[in-house]
Amino acid sequence: MAPPDSVFNLAIEQQMIARAMRKGASASPATAMPGQVMQSYCDALTTLAPRIALAWIWFGEPDAQLIKPQIYSGRAREYAQHVKIERNWLTAKGPVFRAIDGRRSVIFSISPWSVWKPWRQVAREHHICSVIALQLVSNTDQRRGLLVLYSDTEQYFDFLGEQVFRSMADLFSVVLSKEARPG
């Protein structure tokens, strides 16, 4: 697979993401609340990996009919503040509900001509063209969650690979499980 564009450097991109992971960890003291931990990682990721324009997180019941980002960061954060994803015939085929319903990760391309209006909006306003939705799973209760990342680079997540982002989702799943523990 060819790089997304002529200035894309895989090694540099991987280094930026690794640096963001380290910064997210160092910005999260052991006493931090789960939401603060996830916010620190999202802030670091969208600051240090500029091709990632938005990171957002949601967690709740697996049969949720409405998804609204609860934690968000990045230059497209205004979009996340207003997005509401209702479960219907169209959104059930999209990455968010596919990830909640059991897929570990789902990569999607979007465009200014997307069938779903919110994606048309984010594509036009923030030049977003690649999305990955990663499932978060609590091992202490039935809650599910999502880590959703948006890039302004075509095939960004395909080219970079899902594993680094799955590792982040695994970490957030542990945080989600910790939050669910009583006492």
Side-chain angles (χ1 to χ4, degrees):
M1 181 183 311
D5 62 44
S6 60
V7 295
F8 187 88
N9 183 307
L10 179 61
I12 291 172
E13 204 69 26
Q14 289 170 328
Q15 289 171 359
M16 288 189 293
I17 291 169
R19 193 173 335 137
M21 294 290 286
R22 287 190 301 274
K23 183 175 181 181
S26 67
S28 302
T31 58
M33 298 298 292
Q36 293 170 313
V37 171
M38 291 186 261
Q39 184 72 58
S40 293
Y41 277 91
C42 289
D43 289 346
L45 187 62
T46 58
T47 300
L48 296 174
R51 290 175 186 263
I52 298 178
L54 176 63
W56 64 260
I57 297 171
W58 168 87
F59 45 91
E61 297 300 318
D63 60 351
Q65 297 299 304
L66 179 67
I67 304 299
K68 293 174 20 179
Q70 297 158 320
I71 295 169
Y72 37 84
S73 185
R75 66 183 183 275
R77 70 182 288 134
E78 185 178 318
Y79 166 79
Q81 291 171 337
H82 302 290
V83 75
K84 295 176 186 167
I85 307 168
E86 293 184 51
R87 191 184 291 257
N88 61 41
W89 68 270
L90 178 61
T91 61
K93 297 174 186 178
V96 165
F97 285 109
R98 286 176 56 199
I100 290 172
D101 292 341
R103 293 274 307 268
R104 240 183 122 197
S105 60
V106 181
I107 295 175
F108 253 62
S109 294
I110 64 172
S111 78
W113 303 279
S114 175
V115 175
W116 195 52
K117 182 181 177 182
W119 274 6
R120 287 193 307 267
Q121 174 191 354
V122 78
R124 289 177 180 154
E125 292 176 13
H126 301 284
H127 308 287
I128 302 300
C129 51
S130 186
V131 177
I132 186 171
L134 300 123
Q135 181 187 64
L136 309 179
V137 179
S138 170
N139 64 11
T140 56
D141 65 8
Q142 295 298 311
R143 287 188 304 161
R144 294 282 185 269
L146 295 165
L147 167 61
V148 184
L149 305 171
Y150 294 66
S151 176
D152 60 5
T153 302
E154 289 183 27
Q155 298 180 318
Y156 179 82
F157 301 106
D158 293 310
F159 188 71
L160 201 57
E162 297 175 41
Q163 191 52 50
V164 67
F165 303 109
R166 282 187 183 166
S167 296
M168 185 180 275
D170 290 344
L171 171 68
F172 290 174
S173 290
V174 170
V175 171
L176 183 64
S177 298
K178 183 179 178 184
E179 180 185 58
R181 286 193 189 106

